[in-house]
Amino acid sequence: MHIFITIWAVAAAWRWADWSRFREFHATMIYMPAMDLLYFYFTNDYPLWTVQSHLGLPYTGIALLYTFIVFPCTVILFLSNYPDTVRKQILHVGKCVMIYVGIEWIWLLLRFIKYDNGWSLGWSFLFVIVMFPMLLLHYKRPFPAYIASLIIIIFLIYWFNVPWDSLHVNKET
C-alpha cells in the first residue's frame, strides 16, 4: 500500500503539477519534510502514530518514502493547482484534506497505521485541516509560517504529554 501511494504521488505530480514553477515551490517542498523530520526527532521514543508495513519493510524506510517523496509531491500538487477564487480555494483545500484523511482512514481499517499516546483519526483530521493552509502560508510568507509551526509543535508536545527525555534535550552523547 505504501509503495503504491508513493508511486501514485509521483505519477500524479508528474501529470498534474506545474513543474515550470518548481523553483517557486521548492522552499515549501522542503518545509513539509523538515516539519516531518522534526516530528520524528521529537517523538522518536514516544510516537503518536507509526505507519505499518505488511511487506517486512522497516518503519523508518516507509516513513522516509513519505518524507522525501510523497510530501514534496503533495506540496507541488497542492500549490500548482491552487485556484484564484475563495470558493474554489476552500474546495481545493477540502479536497486535499479529504484525500489525506480518506487514505489514512483506509490505512486504519487495514492496520497500515497505528496510533499511540492519545493520537486518533480525529486528531489527524484536525492536523491536516491546519497543514494545507500552513503550506500555503509558508509559500506566501515563510517567516510567519515558521513562527506558527513552532507554536503548533509546542502545543502538540504539551497536549500529548511528550516526555522531555524523548525530546532529546540535554542528553549526553
Side-chain angles (χ1 to χ4, degrees), residues 96-125:
C96 293
V97 167
M98 297 313 333
I99 289 169
Y100 256 64
V101 173
I103 289 170
E104 189 165 324
W105 177 67
I106 292 167
W107 287 357
L108 191 59
L109 293 175
L110 297 175
R111 295 190 173 107
F112 288 146
I113 192 165
K114 180 181 174 229
Y115 300 134
D116 290 306
N117 301 308
W119 196 262
S120 66
L121 185 61
W123 274 106
S124 288
F125 179 71

Side-chain angles (χ1 to χ4, degrees), residues 27-88:
T28 306
M29 291 171 73
I30 293 171
Y31 163 77
M32 188 175 182
M35 294 299 107
D36 193 47
L37 289 172
L38 277 178
Y39 162 75
F40 289 122
Y41 180 76
F42 287 143
T43 63
N44 184 50
D45 299 327
Y46 191 84
L48 301 177
W49 66 85
T50 51
V51 288
Q52 309 291 306
S53 171
H54 292 43
L55 298 175
L57 299 172
Y59 161 69
T60 53
I62 296 168
L64 291 174
L65 281 176
Y66 285 97
T67 301
F68 293 112
I69 298 174
V70 175
F71 294 161
C73 289
T74 295
V75 171
I76 197 166
L77 280 164
F78 175 71
L79 292 177
S80 62
N81 291 292
Y82 197 75
D84 294 330
T85 66
V86 174
R87 182 180 181 283
K88 287 182 180 179

